[in-house]
Each structure stands twice: as C-alpha cells, then as structure tokens.
C-alpha cells in the first residue's frame, strides 16, 4: 500500500507520460496528504489547511519531475524533501500570521463537536499521540511521522533524513521508548 | 539529555519496534495492551480519513504537464512564460488546454490559479486579442471571433477589475467591427464599451437630498446604444444595471457564442 514506487513508473513520468504521471501521483498522494496532516495538524478540528499544502506539494513534485535524476536514492526521498520544504514554508507563514493577528481560538483546544463514543475515543487517542510527538526530539519525530503517517520504509526514511537505515531503526526504537514513557506519565492526568 | 538516548541498543527491541511501525503503517497492528500502539493506530486512522481522495488528481496532472518542459528551476518567473506559451499553442491549434477551464468555485480553480497566475492570464488574453486583430485584418472573421472568445475566457479569470475592464473594452471594440450579423455577446452591454459608468439606463438617482444632482433620474432611451442596434427588432438588449458589467465572469464560462441566434 505504501512506498516501493517502481523506478520505471518514475522514469516514464519524468518523460512526461500522462498515464505514468497520473499513476505516480495516485501512488504518492495519500502518503503526502497524511504527512502534511501529521506535520501541520488540524486547524479548528479539520485538516483543510494541511490538505491544501499537500495539494501544493503534489503539484510541486509533478512540476519538479523533469529535473529528477535517479541517483540511487528512492523517489520518495525526492518527493518528501519537497514536502518537508513546503511544510516548513507553511509553518513560517502560520507563525507570521499568528504574530500579525493574535489567534482567537487555540488550535489545540479540544474539539467540542460531539460524536459517537468510539470516534471520540479514537480522536482523543490521536490527539494524545500528537501531543506526545511534539515532545520528541525533532529527528525522532520526523522519523515517526515518515514511518507511520507517510508509510515509508526505514530505508526510504534513511534517504530522506540523511542517516543509515540502521540508525533510523535505532532512532525510531528510542522514539517509541520515549513515547511509552511519556504516555505512562501522562496517563493519569488524561484519564482524570 | 534524553533518558533513553544513551542506553545500549537492544537489537531484538529495535527489530520488534521496526516491525510494529511497519504494521501500524499497513494497518495490521493489534493494539494489545500497549497504549502507544493504540495511539499510533488511532493517529494513523485519523490522518487517513479521506487522504486517498483522488478527485483532484487529474487536474494536478493536467496542470503539471501543461506547465511545459520549461523547467522548475525558477518557477515564479517561468510559470507565467510557460503558461503563455501553452496558451499561444492552444490558440494556434484551436486546442484548449484542460486546466484552463476551471473557474471560481470549481474544484480545479485553486490549481489553475497556482499554475496559471494572473499575469499569464493577462498576457494570454492580450495575445489572443492581438491575434484577433491580425485575423480581422486578414478577413478571417470566424477565426477572430474564436480568438476573442478565448480572450474572454482568459479575461474571466483575471481578478483585477481594472485590467479586466480594459481588456473587455478591447474585445468589445473589436467585436463591433466584425460585420457578422450575430448579435454581440452578453458582455457587450452599453456602458462598458467606451463611456464610463454614467450609464443612461440603469443609473439610480443620487440619494443626497440637498445636492443639486443631475435631474436625469429618468432613463433617456434616445442615446441608449452607442453601437449599432441588433438586427432583430424585438431583441433590444436588456437594460442591465450598471453595477454589473465589470464582472462578466459568471456570464461566459463555456459559451463560445451567444445563445440568441438571428431571427
């Protein structure tokens, strides 16, 4: 379901084959959308902003395609570096906007919309994980986002973050250990 | 600083965690009694909702391919140029590029705006108009009409009302020189052509009570149409309110010719 985009598909898309370009986008897009959502989070309970950024990322990736050269790195490294840049742009823009106009509502306030219990529970778990991720070191957080949200393999993530695959595996294991520790600490207050 | 960073690496743990993350990403993990696994699964499911919506894919592909081989190195500069080139090619062949069709409110509209920024819309419209002049000079009225129609489609996407008005004026002027008996398209409403907004028909009387406003509160039909009247006797143009003309956008999304045929 994830990654492992066939190199021949990429090279056909680089040659501007419309069908290959469409297939490439179909393969890439869900991961890019989840990645942007994970990095940018919901605004007012919805992912519309993140999805807009994801749309820009998709377009930027497709536009950059003619300049892509296979140099041994997985294509996802190319795509997700573009995504990381776009997300950083969006975050800078958000910071500028926030300093220009003080926000009325904090984005991390609990969503007041009532829903089915299961959905609420799940959403609560998801929000708790987002909060815990924010307390990880940057690299560990990036790795977890790329592994789980984008759905990339450790090898692909290694190419993106500039580490060896082994180092990624160790780092993600440490990230999980830290998340478990943090979850254990935060459990009582969340349950209360 | 981290409590776990300096611990020795437990290879079995590393392998298990790697497998766990892969399973979460595939959606095959089972939460068990690990809170973090449950949270990761919930998080991933939350991120997943509607993430595979491909409804805008076709637009992206069209937009990216239409953007031309003109290279992503300096996108800002070249996008406009590439779009103009594409537009020129479309004009020359009569083929319309797919992504050009999106209008405001259309799901493709954000993409179109990114790929075809305002400047290139203006350029494309200007180019079409100048080509229409050439076609008119060559006696090819049909081609001129088609070019003007394309120009209007570009103009419809221009957000700056002043620029759009200027270009509409040029289109209208040129349309009026064409001798084809077809009535003018909807945008050729009196008041837009040359004379500024003091339209004779629909201008509401000035509301100020004490001011000595112009007493012409009544419409004066005598000078209603500066151009030639339409051929069908009963088909005088409707007196549209003069606030409307600057935005012809919703009037002509897909209409190559006006719907009214000569009697």
């Amino acid at each position: 379901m994830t990654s492992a985009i066939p190199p021949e598909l990429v090279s056909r898309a680089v040659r501007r084959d419309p069908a290959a370009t469409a297939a490439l986008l179909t393969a890439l897009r869900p991961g890019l959308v989840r990645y942007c959502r994970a990095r940018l989070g919901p605004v007012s309970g919805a992912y519309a902003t993140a999805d807009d950024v994801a749309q820009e990322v998709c377009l930027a990736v497709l536009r950059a395609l003619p300049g892509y050269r296979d140099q041994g790195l997985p294509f996802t490294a190319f795509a997700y570096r573009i995504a990381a840049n776009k997300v950083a742009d969006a975050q800078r823009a958000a910071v500028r906007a926030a300093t220009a106009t003080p926000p009325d509502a904090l984005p991390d306030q609990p969503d007041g919309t009532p829903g089915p219990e299961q959905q609420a529970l799940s959403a609560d778990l998801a929000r708790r994980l987002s909060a815990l991720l924010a307390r990880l070191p940057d690299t560990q957080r990036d790795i977890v986002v790329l592994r789980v949200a984008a759905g990339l393999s450790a090898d692909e993530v290694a190419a993106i973050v500039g580490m060896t695959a082994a180092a990624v595996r160790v780092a993600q294991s440490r990230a999980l250990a830290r998340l478990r520790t943090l979850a254990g600490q935060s459990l009582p207050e969340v349950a209360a | 600083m981290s409590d776990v960073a300096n611990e020795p690496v437990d290879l079995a743990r590393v392998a298990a965690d790697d497998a766990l993350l892969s399973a979460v990403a595939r959606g095959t993990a089972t939460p068990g009694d690990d809170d973090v696994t449950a949270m990761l699964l919930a998080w991933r499911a939350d991120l997943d909702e509607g993430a595979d919506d491909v409804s805008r894919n076709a637009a992206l592909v069209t937009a990216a391919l239409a953007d031309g081989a003109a290279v992503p190195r300096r996108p800002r500069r070249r996008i406009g140029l590439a779009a103009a080139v594409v537009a020129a090619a479309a004009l020359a062949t009569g083929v319309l590029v797919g992504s050009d069709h999106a209008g405001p409110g259309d799901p493709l509209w954000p993409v179109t705006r990114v790929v075809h920024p305002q400047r290139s819309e203006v350029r494309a419209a200007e180019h079409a108009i100048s080509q229409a002049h050439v076609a008119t000079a060559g006696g090819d009225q049909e081609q001129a009409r088609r070019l003007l129609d394309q120009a209007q489609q570009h103009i419809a996407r221009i957000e700056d009302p002043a620029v759009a008005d200027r270009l509409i004026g040029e289109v209208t002027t040129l349309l009026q020189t064409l001798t084809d008996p077809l009535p003018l398209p909807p945008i050729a409403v009196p008041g837009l052509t040359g004379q500024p907004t003091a339209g004779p028909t629909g201008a509401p009387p000035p509301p100020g009570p004490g001011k000595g406003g112009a007493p012409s509160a009544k419409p004066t039909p005598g000078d209603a149409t500066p151009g030639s009247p339409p051929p069908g006797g009963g088909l005088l143009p409707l007196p549209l309110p003069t606030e409307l003309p600057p935005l012809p956008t919703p009037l002509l999304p897909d209409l190559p010719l006006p719907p009214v045929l000569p009697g």
Side-chain angles (χ1 to χ4, degrees), chain A residues 6 11 19 50 53 61 63 66 93-94 100 108 138 150 177:
Chain A
S11 57
V53 174
V61 169
R63 283 215 301 249
D108 56 353
D138 288 353

Side-chain angles (χ1 to χ4, degrees), chain A residues 16 29 37 47 63 172-173, chain B residues 17-18 46-47 65 67:
Chain A
R16 310 180 60 73
R29 183 191 190 107
R37 290 176 173 185
Y47 284 121
R63 283 215 301 249
Q172 72 192 13
S173 191
Chain B
D17 283 342
D18 190 44
D46 182 54
L47 298 173
L65 292 180
D67 204 15

Side-chain angles (χ1 to χ4, degrees), chain A residues 139-159:
Chain A
T139 307
Q140 288 185 6
R141 184 178 56 245
D142 287 350
I143 289 172
V144 172
V145 166
L146 288 166
R147 287 285 276 118
V148 176
L152 302 180
S153 69
D155 295 77
E156 288 173 305
V157 173

Side-chain angles (χ1 to χ4, degrees), chain B residues 24 26 43 77 129 168 170 172-173 209 230 239:
Chain B
V24 170
R26 281 196 307 270
W43 181 58
R77 280 258 158 160
I129 292 169
I168 287 171
E170 287 182 34
T172 309
T173 307

Side-chain angles (χ1 to χ4, degrees), chain A residues 5 21 24-40 47-66 75-91 146 150 152 160, chain B residues 51 56-57 59-61 63-64 67 72 75-76 110-111 114-115:
Chain A
I5 291 169
T21 307
L24 181 67
L25 180 62
T26 303
L28 271 180
R29 183 191 190 107
L32 288 170
V33 168
R34 290 191 302 264
Y35 173 82
C36 291
R37 290 176 173 185
R39 290 289 309 273
L40 294 168
Y47 284 121
T49 305
D51 289 358
D52 283 349
V53 174
Q55 184 80 352
E56 275 185 46
V57 171
C58 289
L59 189 56
V61 169
L62 294 188
R63 283 215 301 249
L65 262 181
F75 180 74
T76 46
F78 175 75
Y80 280 87
R81 281 178 184 167
I82 291 174
N85 287 334
K86 287 280 179 194
V87 165
D89 287 349
Q91 285 169 332
L146 288 166
L152 302 180
I160 294 168
Chain B
R56 297 200 282 183
N57 275 11
L60 279 176
V61 171
D67 204 15
R76 277 284 158 227
V111 178
V114 171
V115 182

